[in-house]
Amino acid sequence: MREKDAAAVVNMDVQRAIFPSHLFGGTFMTLTAYYQPVGRFDATTASQHEAALLLLLTGDANTVALDFSKIEFLSSAGLRVLLVTANAAEKKGGRLQLSGANAVIREVILTVGFDDIVHLQD
Amino acid sequence: MSQATQELSADAGQLPAATAFLGEFWETADLPPALVFPFELALEEIFMNVVMHGSGGGQVPTVRLIIAADTDSITLTVADNGPAFDPLSLATPDIEADLEHRRIGGLGVHLVREMMDAVSYAREGGFNQLRMTKNLAPA
């Protein structure tokens, strides 16, 4: 891993606020992990975001609230991370929820039909 | 008409330099900021395609970027001397498949097609040449 990439990790504002939000018949619960990446979600940062997101899902969390309000750029390398994360969450009975994306980022998500996959919110 | 050219090796580590080249041209040519996004996206998608698929012959290809703007349009050409390959020949991905059946292959080229007004491929002088154009609205 190049040092340039490592800097992206430092810039990443990762917050973990894991809390139970729903109870289903007292058996399952949704535990949501909050993740807010900053800057680019592309080929230069994808592997770090992927590792961080999958790490969040290795614990008790089964749902990721992905806050894209500080993301300026998204490419297919980033879309791949969204797909991998959504699959991992779904396997645990949860889901990926993406919010806060600006108009251009929303257009990318809609163009590839990923709005359902990331449960796109405003 | 303004134009700039840059040559890079098809190495993932060169992507930030390619992006910076585009950004500098945008400032120098005083182009609409809103249009930098589709070109930056197209550049990354096509450059990374060459990085991932262009080294099959055992050699890392050279990528030549040519950006040109006039009053009517902006055109980015990404050329590489890797094995002949037309990315536009890729099948259109199924963008309505459910989560389990979603595949990432082809999404980058799909995005490029959707965001550009014209995209064309040619193999010339041992180089793959992908030309991507966006028309400018009359001032």
Side-chain angles (χ1 to χ4, degrees):
Chain A
M1 198 53 63
R2 290 171 300 277
E3 284 181 40
K4 188 168 190 65
D5 293 348
V9 175
V10 177
N11 293 335
M12 236 184 267
D13 178 15
V14 184
Q15 299 175 39
R16 285 195 221 204
I18 298 176
F19 53 90
S21 55
H22 299 292
L23 288 167
F24 297 103
T27 315
F28 301 105
M29 59 170 75
T30 297
L31 288 163
T32 301
Y34 175 84
Y35 185 76
Q36 186 187 54
V38 177
R40 303 177 74 88
F41 212 78
D42 69 353
T44 64
T45 60
S47 61
Q48 281 137 20
H49 289 309
E50 180 176 351
L53 284 160
L54 293 180
L55 188 62
L56 289 175
L57 288 166
T58 57
D60 292 331
N62 60 5
T63 289
V64 173
L66 186 56
D67 179 349
F68 254 31
S69 59
K70 292 186 176 170
I71 284 296
E72 300 151 5
F73 190 77
L74 171 66
S75 70
S76 68
L79 290 167
R80 191 191 146 276
V81 175
L82 297 181
L83 185 60
V84 168
T85 305
N87 266 308
E90 194 128 309
K91 281 204 181 95
K92 294 186 74 178
R95 64 188 200 169
L96 173 63
Q97 292 171 327
L98 192 152
S99 65
N102 71 32
V104 187
I105 301 295
R106 285 183 72 89
E107 192 189 341
V108 171
I109 291 169
L110 291 168
T111 300
V112 295
F114 264 37
D115 41 321
D116 288 347
I117 285 168
V118 303
H119 298 92
L120 186 63
Q121 297 164 343
D122 287 341
Chain B
M1 170 98 179
S2 44
Q3 184 171 318
T5 303
Q6 169 113 350
E7 281 198 7
L8 304 156
S9 65
D11 179 295
Q14 293 294 309
L15 179 60
T19 303
F21 161 73
L22 198 69
E24 282 161 26
F25 180 77
W26 236 256
E27 283 197 19
T28 308
D30 197 22
L31 296 173
L35 286 184
V36 77
F37 186 95
F39 279 96
E40 204 174 318
L41 183 63
L43 175 59
E44 172 168 327
E45 299 300 348
I46 303 305
F47 184 82
M48 291 306 290
N49 264 358
V50 179
V51 169
M52 284 186 273
H53 305 297
S55 299
Q59 281 209 319
V60 177
T62 296
V63 177
R64 188 181 297 154
L65 308 174
I66 305 155
I67 180 89
D70 59 27
T71 50
D72 298 328
S73 64
I74 305 172
T75 296
L76 171 67
T77 303
V78 179
D80 73 88
N81 61 358
F85 176 67
D86 176 6
L88 303 179
S89 68
L90 291 172
T92 305
D94 180 2
I95 63 165
E96 286 173 9
D98 60 21
L99 176 57
E100 196 186 337
H101 298 100
R102 274 310 185 109
R103 298 292 175 265
I104 206 71
L107 285 185
V109 173
H110 177 69
L111 277 169
V112 172
R113 284 179 185 275
E114 292 293 316
M115 297 213 159
M116 292 291 152
D117 292 318
V119 183
S120 65
Y121 169 84
R123 177 79 181 180
E124 285 169 12
F127 275 77
N128 297 303
Q129 303 207 28
L130 197 71
R131 279 171 59 88
M132 296 162 284
T133 300
K134 254 187 119 56
N135 301 323
L136 296 173

